[in-house]
Amino acid sequence: MAKQHQTDMLIVGAGPAGYTAAIYAARAGMNPLLVTGMQPGGQLTITDEIENFPGFAKPVQGPWLMEQMREQAEHVGTTLLYDLITEASLKQGPDAEGYFHLTGDSGDQFRARTVVIATGAQAKWLGLESEKAYQGAGVSACATCDGFFYRGKEVAVIGGGNTAVEEALYLTHHASVVHLIHRRDSLRAERILQKRLHANPKIKLHWNKEVHEICGSGSPAVVTKLRLADTKQPGVIEELPVDGVFIAIGHSPSIGPFRHEVACDEEGYIITKAGTASTSIPGVFAAGDIQDKTYRQAITAAGTGCMAALEAERYIAELGLNDEKPR
């Protein structure tokens, strides 16, 4: 049977941003509810080793780190609900009693004084079976996260836009050779980025090529080479030995039912006011990768989650709503 939930803060999304917002909100006595969505823990649940999250001298596993965040959020008073928000009425503002209304896939109804959207973004993948097989074992979608593991090795970057060029340039600080593989004969990246790319002797360009298969060996198996198909000559396949593959064909914001409820850019990322987590709707905040297409790091997501919770607390106080306890 469907239930009705009422809270000072509803957090949608269970990644670093959502959990951090929940921790701060719970400590502020806001009795937050966190709706986990389809992938509790977000992208870090498919991240093998994390070396760049402060506080850990040795690499930690992504799923373990997210489990620790979940436990901390629950320990300080957050209620987790394993559901998916499918409808949201935000654009018209809160009702006469000061509540926004949302609906879960379960049929549950949510009334919230404030809403934090922390649904994240998903990397776009090539869709190959071999790509799935080697995720976390040589296949990555984040050079900043995983480039460190390829010091002195050869890697490949797949793509031709700004993301691919930026990833390739970053990887030259670690890898001995960076192969940029693009299915066309020209890049879509900004000219200044292309200029830097062509000037870097560590980068080798492979035009008119697309990944046919990612191959590996060993126990456990890791990436050892790529099989590349020539887009101009059907049937022609060449092999390229590499130790790692970075897929850089973009990200898709997980905007879901919020697409037409708050202001978004043309790609679907939520627009927040500069230096804040505030959206176009007072009382609605956005944190993490759903509003950040520049950094996309766990630590920056956590930081914006903190901002969202503090701003939500201030919003409730300014409206004089903090004297009323949720029923």
Side-chain angles (χ1 to χ4, degrees), residues 85-86 119 253-261 268 290:
I85 297 298
T86 55
T119 48
S254 302
I255 188 65
F258 305 107
R259 181 65 180 89
H260 301 292
E261 296 297 321
I290 192 63

Side-chain angles (χ1 to χ4, degrees), residues 165-186:
V165 174
E166 288 169 350
E167 298 271 274
L169 289 168
Y170 175 82
L171 286 165
T172 60
H173 298 301
H174 301 289
S176 59
V177 179
V178 178
H179 299 275
L180 182 63
I181 297 164
H182 187 40
R183 60 184 178 178
R184 298 186 177 89
D185 57 7
S186 62

